[in-house]
């Protein structure tokens, strides 16, 4: 009897699993009957766009174009022409933006953005088909422009021309390949992964389904006869996934039998290292049979592996908020997830990559390594801010299949790169639908307004406001990132001047607390069904304004280490510092005839961002201090702390922003801020403000500490009053040894390996709340199980 009971207990879950599998098969077979044209809900049938290929005079030379070379975006490259069975290039002599316009439109883009001479995208091979090209911009093909004649040229490949086309395509553009030249001219908006199985249609992001190509306004499937895993790798990369995996082919074959596919005319041939499908070659033409099959094949299906940050697991947002990623590569200074300056860890020190030879191929290795898809753009020239420290790698060459950028070849002997040449990337990331669940309302432009959130209420979707209690810069940063609007420039706790939508006035989210790493506001800690908003919504709803750029302050650790010394200063010379709370609390009991022992140092604060660092407070609210004869524009600008080796604070100091100005600038940059005569305060991009060791409050009062080993810490902009593109480099730590007579400062570094205390407190608060929630849930499950 006991064995029978055990057998029944084990059989039940097994039977249940089998039944679920059969149910899935059935649903896969018949689910197409529930949707017109086989498209699931959320995929409206596309409008039939009309596109007509241009009619050319009969004597026009038949050519095909492509963009090749060392690309940094998929829609740019060296102009190559296929003619008379051979690929060649175009000389830059007499080439103009009008000629580039003709090239881009012939490739299906709306317009040209720019063009580049002198083989910017590398030297091509073969013939130089066109020289001294002169176009009006209205020609229907490059072959109709005035030139020396096709194949007549005195140029070298060092003069090969390149173009940059717009991201937007000509509506309904249909690529017509009239030559056997392997050109594949489809773009990211022309391709999609359409979820077929119901279980995948409900997932965000969509990771598995048919690969469909938009051809002449209609979505068509691709025959899988010549499809390879390399093709799948490229498709997954385009949609933000680092790799591909196997799938259950039987289910899709059953589905294909029930609904006749509409096949595209071509196959695709990728090597697997392409960043974009437009870099792949066109395969053979596919002749569809009368029964709509393709030589015994079925529609192409891909199944992609999402990166860790996008895996559909419970509480992904909370885990990402405090999980420490152990990696040799990171991105810094980007406005959204998947973009930033590339930094690598070498010998325990983070450094940057020089942009010499920086390409879409190398950028793709970085993106896949970090759990994103292929690279959308490889940026150069410090476009996403300049780093600090060494430049670790230069002249990188990758095959595209490396697991890490550190495995790629680079020139170890090449020196001389400055941080003005720091390389950066923009990666393809999965479509998570975050933008549809948040909006800004009432603002003067799309970059500002009251924050409104879409939530479930009484069984339906409704818009509402966010309680502004505790709302700050970090939360505003998450909102701007979610809406793809860049960085936060302001966080507002009053929005009476932005009325927003009347129907969205009620508060639907309160207690919002973000760590700053979240991809959406819903991933931040917030109250559940029981909202708490002391001041209510309405005029006190949360608001933001966003900006494409932001400053980025970085402290130079070497200056601190080189300028540290100890001074015994008489108390009667510290009266101003005492009034500004720059001494320890015991100083109030110190006689004027005694002295205080001060740890003094200089600090050099660089603005490596993309916009100037300005105080949050307007000039009319700056506070005048008679003692030092200066204005305070921020209540606290920096924290100076001395910590024990276990992290306990033993001494502290602080520096009010008494004078933010440009002390020095990089070559070619002019100073803009000077404090004298009530001048404007700030730090220009590319400049730095030096607080000398001999300035009041540029110290820590160590009178009361005992000899020993300590940690010295400096934190800039500690209360996040001014938005920055990167807060992780706002703090610096040194090892400090004090023997009672002398003091040493060594091993100073920006605090990448240690988390800023304010962030620790935020993360601890989030972790504690999550654990409390989990404990409560487990107790409820236990009670339910006991009752049953």
């Amino acid at each position: 009897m006991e064995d029978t009971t055990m057998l029944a207990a084990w059989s039940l879950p097994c039977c249940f699993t089998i039944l679920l599998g059969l149910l899935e098969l059935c649903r896969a077979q018949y689910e197409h009957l529930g949707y017109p044209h086989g498209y699931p809900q959320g995929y409206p049938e596309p409008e039939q766009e009309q596109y007509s290929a241009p009619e050319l005079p009969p004597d026009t030379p038949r050519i095909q174009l492509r963009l090749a070379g060392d690309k940094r975006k998929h829609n740019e490259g060296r102009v190559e022409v296929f003619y008379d069975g051979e690929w060649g290039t175009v000389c830059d002599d007499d080439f103009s933006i009008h000629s580039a316009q003709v090239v881009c439109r012939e490739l299906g883009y709306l317009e040209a953005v720019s063009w580049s001479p002198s083989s910017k995208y590398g030297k091509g091979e073969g013939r130089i088909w066109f020289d001294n090209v002169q176009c009006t911009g209205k020609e229907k093909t490059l072959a109709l422009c005035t030139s020396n004649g096709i194949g007549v040229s005195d140029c070298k490949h060092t003069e090969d021309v390149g173009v940059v086309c717009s991201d937007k395509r000509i509506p309904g553009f249909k690529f017509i390949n009239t030559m056997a030249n392997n050109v594949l001219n489809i773009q990211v908006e022309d391709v999609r992964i359409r979820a077929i199985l119901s279980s995948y249609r409900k997932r965000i992001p969509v990771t598995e389904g048919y690969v469909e190509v938009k051809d002449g306004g209609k979505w068509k499937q691709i025959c899988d006869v010549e499809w390879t895993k390399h093709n799948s790798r490229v498709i997954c990369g385009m949609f933000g996934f680092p790799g591909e995996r196997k799938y259950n082919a039987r289910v899709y074959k059953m589905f294909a039998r029930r609904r006749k596919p509409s096949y595209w005319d071509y196959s695709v041939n990728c090597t697997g290292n392409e960043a974009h499908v437009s870099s792949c070659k066109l395969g053979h033409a596919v002749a569809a049979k009368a029964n709509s099959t393709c030589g015994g094949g079925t529609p192409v299906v891909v199944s992609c592996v999402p990166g860790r940050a996008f895996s559909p697991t419970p509480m992904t947002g909370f885990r990402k908020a405090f999980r420490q990623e152990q990696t040799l590569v990171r991105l810094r200074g980007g406005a959204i997830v998947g973009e930033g300056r590339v930094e690598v860890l070498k010998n325990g020190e983070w450094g940057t990559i020089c942009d010499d030879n920086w390409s879409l191929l190398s950028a793709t290795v970085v993106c896949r390594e970090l759990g994103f898809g292929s690279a959308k753009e490889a940026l150069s020239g410090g476009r996403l801010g300049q780093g600090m420290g060494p430049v670790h790698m230069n002249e990188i060459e990758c095959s595209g299949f490396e697991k890490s950028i550190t495995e790629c070849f680079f020139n170890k002997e090449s020196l001389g790169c400055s941080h003005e040449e720091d390389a950066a990337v923009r990666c393809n990331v999965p479509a998570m639908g975050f933008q549809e669940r948040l909006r800004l309302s009432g603002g003067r432009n799309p970059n500002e307004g009251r924050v409104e959130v879409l939530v479930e209420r009484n069984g339906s979707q409704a818009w509402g406001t966010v309680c502004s209690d505790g709302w700050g810069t970090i939360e505003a940063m998450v909102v701007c990132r979610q809406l793809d609007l860049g960085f936060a420039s302001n966080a507002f706790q009053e929005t009476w001047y932005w009325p927003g939508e009347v129907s969205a006035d009620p508060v639907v989210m309160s207690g919002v607390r973000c760590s700053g790493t979240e991809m959406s506001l819903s991933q931040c800690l917030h109250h559940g069904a029981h909202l708490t908003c002391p001041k209510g919504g309405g005029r006190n709803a949360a608001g933001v304004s966003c900006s494409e750029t932001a400053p980025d302050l970085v402290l130079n650790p070497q200056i601190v280490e080189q300028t540290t010394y100890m001074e015994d200063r008489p108390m009667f010379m510290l009266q101003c510092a005492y009034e500004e709370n720059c001494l320890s609390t015991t100083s109030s009991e110190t006689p004027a005839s005694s002295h205080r022992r001060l740890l003094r140092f200089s600090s050099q604060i660089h603005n490596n961002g993309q916009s100037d660092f300005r105080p949050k407070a307007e000039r009319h609210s700056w506070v005048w201090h008679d003692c030092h004869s200066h204005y305070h524009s921020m209540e606290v600008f920096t924290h100076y702390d001395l910590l024990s080796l276990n992290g306990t604070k033993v001494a502290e100091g602080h520096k009010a922003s008494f004078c933010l100005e440009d002390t020095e600038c990089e070559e070619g940059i002019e100073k803009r801020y000077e404090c004298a005569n009530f001048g404007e305060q700030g730090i220009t991009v590319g400049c730095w403000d030096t607080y000398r060791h001999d300035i009041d409050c540029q110290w820590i009062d160590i009178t009361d500490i005992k000899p020993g080993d300590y940690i010295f810490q400096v934190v800039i902009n500690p209360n996040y009053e001014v938005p920055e593109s990167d807060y992780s480099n706002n703090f610096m730590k040194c090892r400090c040894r004090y023997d009672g007579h002398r003091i040493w400062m060594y091993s100073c570094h920006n605090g990448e390996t240690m988390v800023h205390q304010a962030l620790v407190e935020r993360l601890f608060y989030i972790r504690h709340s999550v654990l409390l929630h989990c404990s409560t849930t487990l107790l409820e499950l236990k009670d339910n199980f006991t009752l049953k």
Side-chain angles (χ1 to χ4, degrees), residues 201-351:
R201 284 206 310 272
K202 297 173 183 177
R203 292 188 186 180
I204 297 176
V206 174
T207 58
E208 183 175 304
Y210 279 173
V211 177
E212 297 186 335
V213 175
K214 197 174 187 180
D215 184 21
K218 295 182 179 180
W219 289 103
K220 297 181 179 180
Q221 291 82 45
I222 301 175
C223 183
D224 70 354
V225 170
E226 298 181 5
W227 193 262
T228 67
K229 64 178 183 179
H230 294 309
N231 296 350
S232 296
R233 173 181 164 87
V234 174
I235 293 294
C236 288
M238 284 172 54
F239 288 94
F241 307 112
E244 79 291 344
R245 61 187 171 194
K246 293 182 179 180
Y247 60 91
N248 188 346
R250 293 178 57 193
V251 177
Y252 289 99
K253 286 181 180 179
M254 295 174 67
F255 180 77
R257 292 194 197 106
R258 292 293 186 271
R259 185 185 186 282
K260 295 180 180 180
S262 175
Y263 286 107
W264 192 44
D265 297 336
Y266 304 97
S267 61
V268 179
N269 183 10
C270 302
T271 63
N273 64 0
E274 295 89 351
H276 195 280
V277 72
S278 64
S279 300
C280 298
K281 293 181 179 179
L282 196 69
H284 297 102
V286 176
K289 296 185 178 180
N291 60 356
S292 296
T293 60
C294 58
T298 56
V300 164
V301 175
V302 298
S303 184
C304 305
V305 182
R308 183 167 14 189
F310 305 97
S311 299
T313 55
M315 295 190 297
T316 300
F318 295 116
R319 183 186 63 186
K320 181 172 176 55
F322 56 76
R323 182 168 187 154
Q324 291 295 307
E325 303 290 344
Q326 300 299 325
T327 178
L328 296 177
V329 181
R330 68 183 187 185
L331 302 182
R332 285 289 182 268
I336 60 175
V337 173
E339 74 170 30
R341 177 179 63 254
V342 183
E343 297 186 353
V344 294
L345 184 64
K346 181 181 178 182
N347 298 328
E349 187 175 12
W350 287 100

Side-chain angles (χ1 to χ4, degrees), residues 51-53 108 169-177 185 214-217 220 264-266:
Y51 172 79
S52 300
R169 304 273 288 167
I170 298 172
F173 178 82
K174 182 176 181 179
F175 171 66
I176 301 173
N177 187 17
N185 193 7
K214 197 174 187 180
D215 184 21
K220 297 181 179 180
W264 192 44
D265 297 336
Y266 304 97

Side-chain angles (χ1 to χ4, degrees), residues 492-777:
F492 301 98
Q493 294 188 350
E494 290 187 1
T495 51
W496 54 269
Y497 35 79
W498 290 331
E501 297 288 337
V502 176
S503 59
D505 280 345
V507 174
V508 296
M509 183 180 288
S510 64
V512 179
R513 194 78 178 270
C514 303
S515 71
T517 63
E518 297 86 355
M519 291 182 284
S520 74
L521 199 65
S522 62
Q523 292 179 343
C524 298
L525 181 69
H526 60 275
H527 296 151
H530 303 290
L531 301 174
T532 303
C533 193
K535 295 182 180 179
R539 62 180 296 152
N540 295 309
V544 302
S545 63
C546 305
S547 172
E548 291 184 3
T549 59
D552 182 23
L553 297 188
V554 184
L555 189 70
N556 188 333
Q558 284 74 31
I559 296 296
V560 175
E561 191 169 326
Q562 293 166 5
T563 58
T564 300
Y565 66 98
M566 191 174 67
E567 179 190 15
D568 290 338
R569 195 168 182 83
M571 189 65 193
F572 68 85
M573 297 179 65
L574 296 171
Q575 190 58 38
C576 286
Y578 175 75
E579 292 178 8
E580 294 190 21
N581 298 318
C582 294
L583 301 174
S584 65
T585 54
T586 59
S587 61
S588 60
E589 304 170 1
T590 305
S593 57
S594 63
H595 68 271
R596 305 297 295 179
R597 178 157 289 183
L598 306 175
L599 169 60
R600 309 200 69 154
F601 54 92
S602 297
S603 59
Q604 191 181 89
I605 300 168
H606 294 243
N607 182 2
N608 288 355
Q610 299 168 275
S611 61
D612 295 353
F613 183 91
R614 299 296 309 278
K616 179 181 180 181
E618 298 293 338
R619 292 182 65 179
H620 68 270
S621 61
W622 295 354
V623 180
W624 174 259
H625 282 249
D626 286 325
C627 193
H628 284 134
S629 298
H630 60 245
Y631 282 93
H632 281 191
S633 57
M634 294 174 67
E635 184 178 349
V636 175
F637 178 55
T638 55
H639 282 165
Y640 304 143
D641 297 317
L642 201 63
L643 313 173
S644 66
L645 296 183
N646 65 9
T648 304
K649 188 184 298 184
V650 296
E652 65 181 358
H654 82 278
K655 172 73 69 178
S657 177
F658 69 90
C659 184
L660 276 176
E661 66 178 4
D662 297 325
T663 307
E664 293 181 68
C665 297
E666 294 172 1
E667 186 177 352
I669 298 177
E670 294 184 4
K671 300 178 182 179
R672 297 182 58 189
Y673 302 104
E674 188 175 6
C675 297
N677 301 317
F678 195 31
E680 289 291 340
Q681 293 193 24
I683 307 176
T684 305
V685 175
C687 299
W688 55 90
D689 190 359
T690 301
Y691 291 93
R692 287 175 50 86
H693 54 80
D694 53 3
I695 298 175
D696 261 6
C697 298
Q698 187 64 29
W699 61 57
I700 292 181
D701 184 350
I702 61 171
T703 306
D704 305 317
I705 73 163
K706 298 178 180 178
D709 290 321
Y710 297 95
I711 296 173
F712 172 70
Q713 176 179 275
V714 178
V715 183
I716 312 168
N717 193 15
N719 300 326
Y720 310 121
E721 287 188 36
V722 179
E724 295 185 50
S725 61
D726 185 4
Y727 286 112
S728 68
N729 55 14
N730 279 33
F731 50 99
M732 183 217 71
K733 291 181 183 279
C734 302
R735 295 298 301 271
C736 180
R737 174 165 292 180
Y738 173 52
D739 67 359
H741 305 285
R742 292 169 296 174
I743 198 159
W744 296 268
M745 199 84 75
Y746 60 99
S747 299
C748 293
H749 63 279
N750 287 326
E752 296 90 353
T753 57
M754 305 178 190
V755 184
H756 177 205
Q757 186 63 29
L759 183 58
V760 170
E761 292 171 359
R762 280 177 173 268
L763 300 183
F764 176 79
Y765 183 43
I766 292 173
R767 184 188 292 240
H768 175 73
S769 300
V770 172
L771 292 175
L772 184 62
H773 172 74
C774 292
S775 301
T776 305
T777 305

Side-chain angles (χ1 to χ4, degrees), residues 335-594:
I336 60 175
V337 173
E339 74 170 30
R341 177 179 63 254
V342 183
E343 297 186 353
V344 294
L345 184 64
K346 181 181 178 182
N347 298 328
E349 187 175 12
W350 287 100
T352 60
I353 290 177
C354 187
D355 63 10
D356 292 347
N357 297 344
W358 187 239
S359 67
L360 208 58
L361 187 62
S362 301
T364 290
V365 173
V366 170
C367 291
R368 290 188 190 272
E369 177 181 3
L370 293 174
F372 306 113
S374 52
K376 186 161 46 177
E377 187 173 0
L379 300 118
S380 58
R383 286 264 304 278
L384 295 183
Q386 298 181 22
M388 293 284 285
V391 178
H392 282 322
M393 303 176 74
N394 188 19
E395 297 181 9
I396 294 177
E397 295 181 14
C398 302
S399 70
F401 289 98
E402 292 87 353
K403 297 295 183 183
S404 170
I405 192 70
T406 58
E407 297 176 7
C408 297
F409 170 82
F410 65 97
N411 190 344
K412 299 178 181 178
E413 306 301 323
S414 181
L415 303 173
C417 268
S418 69
H419 286 295
E420 294 177 354
E421 302 171 86
D422 283 345
V425 298
R426 286 195 176 107
C427 305
N428 286 311
V429 297
M432 302 294 290
F434 290 144
Q435 288 177 273
E436 286 73 34
R437 305 196 65 83
L438 196 70
R439 70 186 183 191
L440 301 183
S441 184
R444 296 163 296 180
N445 58 65
N447 298 325
E448 67 178 20
R450 187 176 76 176
V451 179
E452 294 180 355
V453 184
L454 185 64
V455 297
E456 292 276 349
R457 191 164 57 187
N458 299 325
S460 61
Q461 302 275 344
W463 288 95
T465 60
V466 179
C467 182
S468 64
D469 186 41
W471 186 259
T473 302
I474 301 297
E475 288 71 32
M477 282 286 191
V478 174
V479 168
C480 294
R481 179 186 303 131
Q482 182 175 348
L483 292 173
D484 199 13
L485 294 176
F487 306 97
S489 56
N490 278 295
F492 301 98
Q493 294 188 350
E494 290 187 1
T495 51
W496 54 269
Y497 35 79
W498 290 331
E501 297 288 337
V502 176
S503 59
D505 280 345
V507 174
V508 296
M509 183 180 288
S510 64
V512 179
R513 194 78 178 270
C514 303
S515 71
T517 63
E518 297 86 355
M519 291 182 284
S520 74
L521 199 65
S522 62
Q523 292 179 343
C524 298
L525 181 69
H526 60 275
H527 296 151
H530 303 290
L531 301 174
T532 303
C533 193
K535 295 182 180 179
R539 62 180 296 152
N540 295 309
V544 302
S545 63
C546 305
S547 172
E548 291 184 3
T549 59
D552 182 23
L553 297 188
V554 184
L555 189 70
N556 188 333
Q558 284 74 31
I559 296 296
V560 175
E561 191 169 326
Q562 293 166 5
T563 58
T564 300
Y565 66 98
M566 191 174 67
E567 179 190 15
D568 290 338
R569 195 168 182 83
M571 189 65 193
F572 68 85
M573 297 179 65
L574 296 171
Q575 190 58 38
C576 286
Y578 175 75
E579 292 178 8
E580 294 190 21
N581 298 318
C582 294
L583 301 174
S584 65
T585 54
T586 59
S587 61
S588 60
E589 304 170 1
T590 305
S593 57
S594 63

Side-chain angles (χ1 to χ4, degrees), residues 94-110:
D94 291 338
F95 201 87
S96 68
I97 191 65
H98 301 300
S99 305
Q101 184 83 355
V102 174
V103 169
C104 289
R105 289 191 63 81
E106 191 168 357
L107 289 169
Y109 298 98
L110 274 178

